[in-house]
Amino acid sequence: MPMRALVIVPCILSAAACVAASAADLPLPAPVRWTPPALSTGQYESSPVFSPDGRELFFFRAPPAFDRYRLLHARCGGTEWDAPREPAFAAPAGALETDPAYSPDGAWLYYASDRAHAGDLDIWRVPRHADGRWGEPERLPSPVNSPQTELLPRPQADGRLLFGSSREGGPGGRDLYLATPRAGGGWDLAPLPSPANTAADEYEADLSRDGRVLVVVANRGTRSHLYVYDRHGEAWRERGRVPARSDVFQVGPLLSPDGKRLLFAQAVGERSGEFFLVDLAPDADRAWPPACAGTP
């Protein structure tokens, strides 16, 4: 997704500035299935992201049990999305690779992989050269990565990185974190404050380009669902829950740059997971997601 000029609001660094509200399903039209035909299978497709020019799409695919994640890459061939394939930098078969995200300038692709430590997903990034070739993947250092799982990295235009982690020391079981690069090297790390993080599990999030809308994947009961937050002054307030299916989980949120449309993944039937699209505001930009001819 092109996340140019993304701004992290002061509330993300100040717990006292954030105000929680009770969650209820938002009064929105039901999400509609969006998965392009070339990408849809009987397996689970999740976490789509677009290159800044809108001509490439990364996502991951998993069996219906939602394990053994592998990254896939598709290009818009002019009439429809090409059949997806694993990227040149993919780890050997058997490694888990998931949760892609382009940097706002398209120079890097961030993702989660257990290629270094089996079963422990860490955040990696791989450079994209000017000629389109991929470079060598590199694992981000501590404290971004930890001995526990890290998920859904979201690089920001100012160099900061939003992601989820199951590490100890946060306010809940799994929590959302913001990593800030130091001028001299290294990172500073802070958990997002309440209400984005709670005593429950929050482990994925995406932020609109203008920093005013935040979508969080949280398990605050029996399944993971999508919660929308708005910035009011210097406070985050919970708008409500996306009116998706209550009997299955939703994951892999991707906001449009204006924060008014949302792509995510949820189950369809007993076998497949698909991309779904929902309008969070009535004046959403219909030109997003980027359309390749033949895309629904």
mmCIF file of all heavy atoms in Angstrom, residues 65-109:
data_model
loop_
_atom_site.group_PDB
_atom_site.id
_atom_site.type_symbol
_atom_site.label_atom_id
_atom_site.label_comp_id
_atom_site.label_asym_id
_atom_site.label_seq_id
_atom_site.Cartn_x
_atom_site.Cartn_y
_atom_site.Cartn_z
ATOM 1 N N ALA A 65 -6.151 -24.628 7.811
ATOM 2 C CA ALA A 65 -5.831 -24.593 9.244
ATOM 3 C C ALA A 65 -5.087 -23.324 9.629
ATOM 4 O O ALA A 65 -4.813 -23.097 10.809
ATOM 5 C CB ALA A 65 -5.010 -25.817 9.634
ATOM 6 N N PHE A 66 -4.748 -22.483 8.641
ATOM 7 C CA PHE A 66 -4.082 -21.199 8.851
ATOM 8 C C PHE A 66 -2.700 -21.386 9.481
ATOM 9 O O PHE A 66 -2.325 -20.732 10.450
ATOM 10 C CB PHE A 66 -4.952 -20.269 9.715
ATOM 11 C CG PHE A 66 -4.723 -18.804 9.423
ATOM 12 C CD1 PHE A 66 -5.121 -18.254 8.226
ATOM 13 C CD2 PHE A 66 -4.114 -17.986 10.351
ATOM 14 C CE1 PHE A 66 -4.910 -16.908 7.949
ATOM 15 C CE2 PHE A 66 -3.898 -16.643 10.087
ATOM 16 C CZ PHE A 66 -4.293 -16.098 8.886
ATOM 17 N N ASP A 67 -1.928 -22.292 8.868
ATOM 18 C CA ASP A 67 -0.546 -22.498 9.280
ATOM 19 C C ASP A 67 0.292 -22.649 8.008
ATOM 20 O O ASP A 67 -0.200 -22.512 6.900
ATOM 21 C CB ASP A 67 -0.411 -23.724 10.194
ATOM 22 C CG ASP A 67 -0.936 -24.997 9.541
ATOM 23 O OD1 ASP A 67 -1.315 -24.963 8.350
ATOM 24 O OD2 ASP A 67 -0.990 -26.027 10.228
ATOM 25 N N ARG A 68 1.591 -22.861 8.163
ATOM 26 C CA ARG A 68 2.516 -23.023 7.034
ATOM 27 C C ARG A 68 2.394 -21.855 6.050
ATOM 28 O O ARG A 68 2.228 -22.039 4.851
ATOM 29 C CB ARG A 68 2.289 -24.370 6.336
ATOM 30 C CG ARG A 68 2.444 -25.556 7.257
ATOM 31 C CD ARG A 68 2.660 -26.861 6.509
ATOM 32 N NE ARG A 68 1.605 -27.187 5.576
ATOM 33 C CZ ARG A 68 0.462 -27.774 5.902
ATOM 34 N NH1 ARG A 68 0.212 -28.070 7.163
ATOM 35 N NH2 ARG A 68 -0.424 -28.067 4.977
ATOM 36 N N TYR A 69 2.515 -20.652 6.560
ATOM 37 C CA TYR A 69 2.375 -19.442 5.746
ATOM 38 C C TYR A 69 3.496 -19.329 4.716
ATOM 39 O O TYR A 69 4.646 -19.578 5.017
ATOM 40 C CB TYR A 69 2.416 -18.184 6.624
ATOM 41 C CG TYR A 69 1.702 -18.283 7.952
ATOM 42 C CD1 TYR A 69 2.406 -18.129 9.140
ATOM 43 C CD2 TYR A 69 0.336 -18.510 8.011
ATOM 44 C CE1 TYR A 69 1.771 -18.204 10.367
ATOM 45 C CE2 TYR A 69 -0.315 -18.578 9.237
ATOM 46 C CZ TYR A 69 0.401 -18.431 10.412
ATOM 47 O OH TYR A 69 -0.232 -18.505 11.620
ATOM 48 N N ARG A 70 3.139 -18.867 3.510
ATOM 49 C CA ARG A 70 4.132 -18.578 2.477
ATOM 50 C C ARG A 70 3.738 -17.286 1.750
ATOM 51 O O ARG A 70 2.570 -17.069 1.416
ATOM 52 C CB ARG A 70 4.227 -19.712 1.462
ATOM 53 C CG ARG A 70 4.752 -21.006 2.033
ATOM 54 C CD ARG A 70 6.189 -20.931 2.499
ATOM 55 N NE ARG A 70 7.139 -20.820 1.391
ATOM 56 C CZ ARG A 70 8.450 -20.804 1.549
ATOM 57 N NH1 ARG A 70 8.988 -20.858 2.768
ATOM 58 N NH2 ARG A 70 9.245 -20.724 0.491
ATOM 59 N N LEU A 71 4.752 -16.446 1.493
ATOM 60 C CA LEU A 71 4.521 -15.210 0.749
ATOM 61 C C LEU A 71 4.321 -15.505 -0.727
ATOM 62 O O LEU A 71 4.987 -16.380 -1.302
ATOM 63 C CB LEU A 71 5.720 -14.275 0.900
ATOM 64 C CG LEU A 71 5.935 -13.582 2.240
ATOM 65 C CD1 LEU A 71 7.171 -12.709 2.160
ATOM 66 C CD2 LEU A 71 4.721 -12.755 2.637
ATOM 67 N N LEU A 72 3.430 -14.727 -1.352
ATOM 68 C CA LEU A 72 3.208 -14.811 -2.789
ATOM 69 C C LEU A 72 3.164 -13.401 -3.371
ATOM 70 O O LEU A 72 2.826 -12.432 -2.676
ATOM 71 C CB LEU A 72 1.905 -15.548 -3.099
ATOM 72 C CG LEU A 72 1.895 -17.046 -2.781
ATOM 73 C CD1 LEU A 72 0.495 -17.616 -2.961
ATOM 74 C CD2 LEU A 72 2.904 -17.804 -3.630
ATOM 75 N N HIS A 73 3.486 -13.328 -4.662
ATOM 76 C CA HIS A 73 3.645 -12.050 -5.340
ATOM 77 C C HIS A 73 2.951 -12.126 -6.682
ATOM 78 O O HIS A 73 3.111 -13.091 -7.433
ATOM 79 C CB HIS A 73 5.148 -11.792 -5.520
ATOM 80 C CG HIS A 73 5.488 -10.605 -6.328
ATOM 81 N ND1 HIS A 73 6.213 -10.682 -7.502
ATOM 82 C CD2 HIS A 73 5.222 -9.297 -6.155
ATOM 83 C CE1 HIS A 73 6.386 -9.468 -7.999
ATOM 84 N NE2 HIS A 73 5.794 -8.619 -7.201
ATOM 85 N N ALA A 74 2.130 -11.125 -7.013
ATOM 86 C CA ALA A 74 1.440 -11.075 -8.306
ATOM 87 C C ALA A 74 1.626 -9.704 -8.923
ATOM 88 O O ALA A 74 1.723 -8.694 -8.213
ATOM 89 C CB ALA A 74 -0.043 -11.385 -8.143
ATOM 90 N N ARG A 75 1.665 -9.660 -10.245
ATOM 91 C CA ARG A 75 1.755 -8.401 -10.975
ATOM 92 C C ARG A 75 0.505 -8.205 -11.817
ATOM 93 O O ARG A 75 -0.128 -9.169 -12.250
ATOM 94 C CB ARG A 75 2.987 -8.391 -11.897
ATOM 95 C CG ARG A 75 4.315 -8.308 -11.171
ATOM 96 C CD ARG A 75 5.449 -8.107 -12.158
ATOM 97 N NE ARG A 75 5.267 -6.893 -12.931
ATOM 98 C CZ ARG A 75 5.668 -5.688 -12.534
ATOM 99 N NH1 ARG A 75 6.268 -5.542 -11.377
ATOM 100 N NH2 ARG A 75 5.479 -4.637 -13.301
ATOM 101 N N CYS A 76 0.169 -6.942 -12.045
ATOM 102 C CA CYS A 76 -0.928 -6.629 -12.944
ATOM 103 C C CYS A 76 -0.398 -6.729 -14.370
ATOM 104 O O CYS A 76 0.444 -5.933 -14.792
ATOM 105 C CB CYS A 76 -1.466 -5.231 -12.670
ATOM 106 S SG CYS A 76 -2.812 -4.752 -13.760
ATOM 107 N N GLY A 77 -0.882 -7.716 -15.117
ATOM 108 C CA GLY A 77 -0.381 -7.940 -16.467
ATOM 109 C C GLY A 77 -1.039 -7.086 -17.524
ATOM 110 O O GLY A 77 -0.764 -7.258 -18.704
ATOM 111 N N GLY A 78 -1.917 -6.180 -17.124
ATOM 112 C CA GLY A 78 -2.584 -5.299 -18.083
ATOM 113 C C GLY A 78 -4.054 -5.603 -18.229
ATOM 114 O O GLY A 78 -4.864 -4.697 -18.440
ATOM 115 N N THR A 79 -4.426 -6.878 -18.114
ATOM 116 C CA THR A 79 -5.832 -7.248 -18.188
ATOM 117 C C THR A 79 -6.329 -7.858 -16.885
ATOM 118 O O THR A 79 -7.515 -7.786 -16.581
ATOM 119 C CB THR A 79 -6.075 -8.251 -19.332
ATOM 120 O OG1 THR A 79 -5.260 -9.406 -19.123
ATOM 121 C CG2 THR A 79 -5.708 -7.620 -20.680
ATOM 122 N N GLU A 80 -5.432 -8.479 -16.137
ATOM 123 C CA GLU A 80 -5.786 -9.056 -14.846
ATOM 124 C C GLU A 80 -4.514 -9.358 -14.081
ATOM 125 O O GLU A 80 -3.408 -9.293 -14.624
ATOM 126 C CB GLU A 80 -6.613 -10.337 -15.028
ATOM 127 C CG GLU A 80 -5.888 -11.424 -15.790
ATOM 128 C CD GLU A 80 -6.771 -12.633 -16.032
ATOM 129 O OE1 GLU A 80 -7.986 -12.557 -15.777
ATOM 130 O OE2 GLU A 80 -6.225 -13.652 -16.496
ATOM 131 N N TRP A 81 -4.663 -9.698 -12.809
ATOM 132 C CA TRP A 81 -3.505 -10.075 -12.010
ATOM 133 C C TRP A 81 -2.943 -11.393 -12.514
ATOM 134 O O TRP A 81 -3.690 -12.342 -12.782
ATOM 135 C CB TRP A 81 -3.891 -10.197 -10.536
ATOM 136 C CG TRP A 81 -4.287 -8.891 -9.917
ATOM 137 C CD1 TRP A 81 -5.555 -8.455 -9.673
ATOM 138 C CD2 TRP A 81 -3.407 -7.853 -9.494
ATOM 139 N NE1 TRP A 81 -5.520 -7.207 -9.111
ATOM 140 C CE2 TRP A 81 -4.217 -6.809 -8.983
ATOM 141 C CE3 TRP A 81 -2.015 -7.696 -9.484
ATOM 142 C CZ2 TRP A 81 -3.670 -5.637 -8.477
ATOM 143 C CZ3 TRP A 81 -1.475 -6.523 -8.970
ATOM 144 C CH2 TRP A 81 -2.290 -5.507 -8.476
ATOM 145 N N ASP A 82 -1.626 -11.449 -12.646
ATOM 146 C CA ASP A 82 -0.977 -12.689 -13.033
ATOM 147 C C ASP A 82 -1.126 -13.741 -11.935
ATOM 148 O O ASP A 82 -1.380 -13.411 -10.764
ATOM 149 C CB ASP A 82 0.520 -12.459 -13.280
ATOM 150 C CG ASP A 82 0.780 -11.552 -14.475
ATOM 151 O OD1 ASP A 82 -0.106 -11.458 -15.346
ATOM 152 O OD2 ASP A 82 1.866 -10.942 -14.514
ATOM 153 N N ALA A 83 -0.934 -14.991 -12.302
ATOM 154 C CA ALA A 83 -0.920 -16.053 -11.303
ATOM 155 C C ALA A 83 0.199 -15.777 -10.300
ATOM 156 O O ALA A 83 1.336 -15.494 -10.692
ATOM 157 C CB ALA A 83 -0.706 -17.405 -11.970
ATOM 158 N N PRO A 84 -0.094 -15.814 -9.008
ATOM 159 C CA PRO A 84 0.931 -15.478 -8.013
ATOM 160 C C PRO A 84 1.998 -16.557 -7.909
ATOM 161 O O PRO A 84 1.751 -17.735 -8.172
ATOM 162 C CB PRO A 84 0.134 -15.371 -6.715
ATOM 163 C CG PRO A 84 -1.062 -16.234 -6.933
ATOM 164 C CD PRO A 84 -1.393 -16.123 -8.389
ATOM 165 N N ARG A 85 3.185 -16.127 -7.513
ATOM 166 C CA ARG A 85 4.300 -17.049 -7.312
ATOM 167 C C ARG A 85 5.131 -16.568 -6.129
ATOM 168 O O ARG A 85 5.032 -15.407 -5.705
ATOM 169 C CB ARG A 85 5.158 -17.143 -8.562
ATOM 170 C CG ARG A 85 5.824 -15.824 -8.966
ATOM 171 C CD ARG A 85 6.539 -15.938 -10.298
ATOM 172 N NE ARG A 85 5.599 -16.217 -11.385
ATOM 173 C CZ ARG A 85 5.969 -16.501 -12.619
ATOM 174 N NH1 ARG A 85 7.244 -16.546 -12.933
ATOM 175 N NH2 ARG A 85 5.069 -16.714 -13.548
ATOM 176 N N GLU A 86 5.955 -17.445 -5.612
ATOM 177 C CA GLU A 86 6.826 -17.047 -4.519
ATOM 178 C C GLU A 86 7.893 -16.089 -5.037
ATOM 179 O O GLU A 86 8.396 -16.262 -6.153
ATOM 180 C CB GLU A 86 7.467 -18.267 -3.866
ATOM 181 C CG GLU A 86 6.473 -19.125 -3.102
ATOM 182 C CD GLU A 86 7.135 -20.130 -2.179
ATOM 183 O OE1 GLU A 86 8.382 -20.183 -2.140
ATOM 184 O OE2 GLU A 86 6.407 -20.874 -1.497
ATOM 185 N N PRO A 87 8.272 -15.082 -4.241
ATOM 186 C CA PRO A 87 9.294 -14.132 -4.690
ATOM 187 C C PRO A 87 10.674 -14.761 -4.715
ATOM 188 O O PRO A 87 10.920 -15.816 -4.109
ATOM 189 C CB PRO A 87 9.207 -13.017 -3.641
ATOM 190 C CG PRO A 87 8.699 -13.695 -2.414
ATOM 191 C CD PRO A 87 7.740 -14.744 -2.901
ATOM 192 N N ALA A 88 11.595 -14.100 -5.409
ATOM 193 C CA ALA A 88 12.954 -14.632 -5.563
ATOM 194 C C ALA A 88 13.673 -14.788 -4.231
ATOM 195 O O ALA A 88 14.557 -15.638 -4.103
ATOM 196 C CB ALA A 88 13.756 -13.707 -6.486
ATOM 197 N N PHE A 89 13.316 -13.986 -3.233
ATOM 198 C CA PHE A 89 14.009 -14.031 -1.951
ATOM 199 C C PHE A 89 13.372 -15.009 -0.966
ATOM 200 O O PHE A 89 13.771 -15.072 0.204
ATOM 201 C CB PHE A 89 14.038 -12.641 -1.313
ATOM 202 C CG PHE A 89 12.673 -12.051 -1.068
ATOM 203 C CD1 PHE A 89 11.951 -12.370 0.069
ATOM 204 C CD2 PHE A 89 12.115 -11.182 -1.987
ATOM 205 C CE1 PHE A 89 10.693 -11.827 0.294
ATOM 206 C CE2 PHE A 89 10.861 -10.630 -1.776
ATOM 207 C CZ PHE A 89 10.154 -10.953 -0.621
ATOM 208 N N ALA A 90 12.374 -15.783 -1.387
ATOM 209 C CA ALA A 90 11.662 -16.672 -0.479
ATOM 210 C C ALA A 90 12.619 -17.640 0.215
ATOM 211 O O ALA A 90 13.588 -18.123 -0.373
ATOM 212 C CB ALA A 90 10.597 -17.455 -1.238
ATOM 213 N N ALA A 91 12.325 -17.934 1.467
ATOM 214 C CA ALA A 91 13.104 -18.916 2.217
ATOM 215 C C ALA A 91 12.816 -20.317 1.680
ATOM 216 O O ALA A 91 11.819 -20.536 0.984
ATOM 217 C CB ALA A 91 12.747 -18.838 3.694
ATOM 218 N N PRO A 92 13.673 -21.280 1.986
ATOM 219 C CA PRO A 92 13.425 -22.647 1.533
ATOM 220 C C PRO A 92 12.076 -23.168 2.012
ATOM 221 O O PRO A 92 11.529 -22.703 3.020
ATOM 222 C CB PRO A 92 14.584 -23.438 2.151
ATOM 223 C CG PRO A 92 15.663 -22.425 2.369
ATOM 224 C CD PRO A 92 14.956 -21.154 2.711
ATOM 225 N N ALA A 93 11.537 -24.129 1.275
ATOM 226 C CA ALA A 93 10.264 -24.738 1.646
ATOM 227 C C ALA A 93 10.339 -25.243 3.082
ATOM 228 O O ALA A 93 11.353 -25.789 3.523
ATOM 229 C CB ALA A 93 9.942 -25.888 0.701
ATOM 230 N N GLY A 94 9.260 -25.036 3.819
ATOM 231 C CA GLY A 94 9.220 -25.425 5.221
ATOM 232 C C GLY A 94 9.298 -24.246 6.160
ATOM 233 O O GLY A 94 8.783 -24.309 7.281
ATOM 234 N N ALA A 95 9.930 -23.156 5.732
ATOM 235 C CA ALA A 95 9.969 -21.942 6.552
ATOM 236 C C ALA A 95 8.626 -21.223 6.468
ATOM 237 O O ALA A 95 7.923 -21.292 5.457
ATOM 238 C CB ALA A 95 11.091 -21.027 6.095
ATOM 239 N N LEU A 96 8.267 -20.527 7.534
ATOM 240 C CA LEU A 96 7.054 -19.717 7.559
ATOM 241 C C LEU A 96 7.401 -18.298 7.139
ATOM 242 O O LEU A 96 8.342 -17.699 7.673
ATOM 243 C CB LEU A 96 6.448 -19.700 8.961
ATOM 244 C CG LEU A 96 6.154 -21.049 9.616
ATOM 245 C CD1 LEU A 96 5.576 -20.841 11.004
ATOM 246 C CD2 LEU A 96 5.220 -21.877 8.754
ATOM 247 N N GLU A 97 6.622 -17.720 6.195
ATOM 248 C CA GLU A 97 6.835 -16.333 5.778
ATOM 249 C C GLU A 97 5.474 -15.694 5.542
ATOM 250 O O GLU A 97 4.619 -16.265 4.841
ATOM 251 C CB GLU A 97 7.722 -16.273 4.544
ATOM 252 C CG GLU A 97 9.077 -16.919 4.808
ATOM 253 C CD GLU A 97 10.196 -16.381 3.954
ATOM 254 O OE1 GLU A 97 10.081 -16.492 2.717
ATOM 255 O OE2 GLU A 97 11.183 -15.866 4.520
ATOM 256 N N THR A 98 5.271 -14.507 6.101
ATOM 257 C CA THR A 98 3.930 -13.956 6.181
ATOM 258 C C THR A 98 3.975 -12.436 6.331
ATOM 259 O O THR A 98 5.036 -11.825 6.468
ATOM 260 C CB THR A 98 3.192 -14.595 7.383
ATOM 261 O OG1 THR A 98 1.850 -14.132 7.438
ATOM 262 C CG2 THR A 98 3.882 -14.290 8.701
ATOM 263 N N ASP A 99 2.804 -11.789 6.269
ATOM 264 C CA ASP A 99 2.591 -10.386 6.656
ATOM 265 C C ASP A 99 3.489 -9.392 5.921
ATOM 266 O O ASP A 99 4.276 -8.658 6.535
ATOM 267 C CB ASP A 99 2.785 -10.226 8.163
ATOM 268 C CG ASP A 99 1.729 -10.945 8.971
ATOM 269 O OD1 ASP A 99 0.719 -11.381 8.370
ATOM 270 O OD2 ASP A 99 1.888 -11.064 10.197
ATOM 271 N N PRO A 100 3.383 -9.303 4.598
ATOM 272 C CA PRO A 100 4.224 -8.363 3.847
ATOM 273 C C PRO A 100 3.759 -6.911 4.013
ATOM 274 O O PRO A 100 2.592 -6.641 4.325
ATOM 275 C CB PRO A 100 4.033 -8.819 2.403
ATOM 276 C CG PRO A 100 2.638 -9.378 2.383
ATOM 277 C CD PRO A 100 2.467 -10.058 3.719
ATOM 278 N N ALA A 101 4.668 -5.980 3.769
ATOM 279 C CA ALA A 101 4.336 -4.550 3.752
ATOM 280 C C ALA A 101 5.436 -3.793 3.033
ATOM 281 O O ALA A 101 6.610 -3.918 3.377
ATOM 282 C CB ALA A 101 4.180 -4.001 5.168
ATOM 283 N N TYR A 102 5.080 -3.023 2.022
ATOM 284 C CA TYR A 102 6.038 -2.162 1.345
ATOM 285 C C TYR A 102 6.358 -0.949 2.215
ATOM 286 O O TYR A 102 5.486 -0.404 2.900
ATOM 287 C CB TYR A 102 5.467 -1.644 0.030
ATOM 288 C CG TYR A 102 5.437 -2.630 -1.100
ATOM 289 C CD1 TYR A 102 4.320 -3.421 -1.331
ATOM 290 C CD2 TYR A 102 6.521 -2.763 -1.971
ATOM 291 C CE1 TYR A 102 4.273 -4.318 -2.384
ATOM 292 C CE2 TYR A 102 6.490 -3.659 -3.029
ATOM 293 C CZ TYR A 102 5.362 -4.428 -3.232
ATOM 294 O OH TYR A 102 5.320 -5.324 -4.279
ATOM 295 N N SER A 103 7.604 -0.497 2.156
ATOM 296 C CA SER A 103 7.909 0.822 2.699
ATOM 297 C C SER A 103 7.224 1.863 1.827
ATOM 298 O O SER A 103 6.921 1.611 0.657
ATOM 299 C CB SER A 103 9.421 1.051 2.738
ATOM 300 O OG SER A 103 9.970 1.009 1.424
ATOM 301 N N PRO A 104 6.930 3.051 2.358
ATOM 302 C CA PRO A 104 6.196 4.046 1.568
ATOM 303 C C PRO A 104 6.853 4.409 0.245
ATOM 304 O O PRO A 104 6.162 4.729 -0.724
ATOM 305 C CB PRO A 104 6.137 5.255 2.512
ATOM 306 C CG PRO A 104 6.178 4.653 3.873
ATOM 307 C CD PRO A 104 7.110 3.481 3.754
ATOM 308 N N ASP A 105 8.193 4.330 0.169
ATOM 309 C CA ASP A 105 8.874 4.658 -1.077
ATOM 310 C C ASP A 105 9.089 3.437 -1.978
ATOM 311 O O ASP A 105 9.645 3.556 -3.074
ATOM 312 C CB ASP A 105 10.220 5.338 -0.806
ATOM 313 C CG ASP A 105 11.181 4.453 -0.002
ATOM 314 O OD1 ASP A 105 10.839 3.274 0.272
ATOM 315 O OD2 ASP A 105 12.268 4.940 0.346
ATOM 316 N N GLY A 106 8.639 2.270 -1.539
ATOM 317 C CA GLY A 106 8.772 1.060 -2.334
ATOM 318 C C GLY A 106 10.168 0.473 -2.359
ATOM 319 O O GLY A 106 10.410 -0.504 -3.064
ATOM 320 N N ALA A 107 11.099 1.032 -1.587
ATOM 321 C CA ALA A 107 12.489 0.575 -1.626
ATOM 322 C C ALA A 107 12.725 -0.691 -0.805
ATOM 323 O O ALA A 107 13.756 -1.340 -0.966
ATOM 324 C CB ALA A 107 13.417 1.682 -1.125
ATOM 325 N N TRP A 108 11.788 -1.024 0.069
ATOM 326 C CA TRP A 108 11.924 -2.198 0.927
ATOM 327 C C TRP A 108 10.593 -2.924 1.003
ATOM 328 O O TRP A 108 9.526 -2.299 0.937
ATOM 329 C CB TRP A 108 12.325 -1.814 2.350
ATOM 330 C CG TRP A 108 13.666 -1.167 2.475
ATOM 331 C CD1 TRP A 108 13.956 0.165 2.379
ATOM 332 C CD2 TRP A 108 14.909 -1.824 2.723
ATOM 333 N NE1 TRP A 108 15.291 0.382 2.552
ATOM 334 C CE2 TRP A 108 15.908 -0.825 2.770
ATOM 335 C CE3 TRP A 108 15.279 -3.161 2.918
ATOM 336 C CZ2 TRP A 108 17.251 -1.124 3.000
ATOM 337 C CZ3 TRP A 108 16.609 -3.457 3.153
ATOM 338 C CH2 TRP A 108 17.580 -2.451 3.196
ATOM 339 N N LEU A 109 10.659 -4.229 1.192
ATOM 340 C CA LEU A 109 9.496 -5.008 1.570
ATOM 341 C C LEU A 109 9.781 -5.620 2.932
ATOM 342 O O LEU A 109 10.784 -6.319 3.110
ATOM 343 C CB LEU A 109 9.190 -6.115 0.563
ATOM 344 C CG LEU A 109 7.877 -6.839 0.871
ATOM 345 C CD1 LEU A 109 6.713 -6.127 0.189
ATOM 346 C CD2 LEU A 109 7.921 -8.303 0.476
#
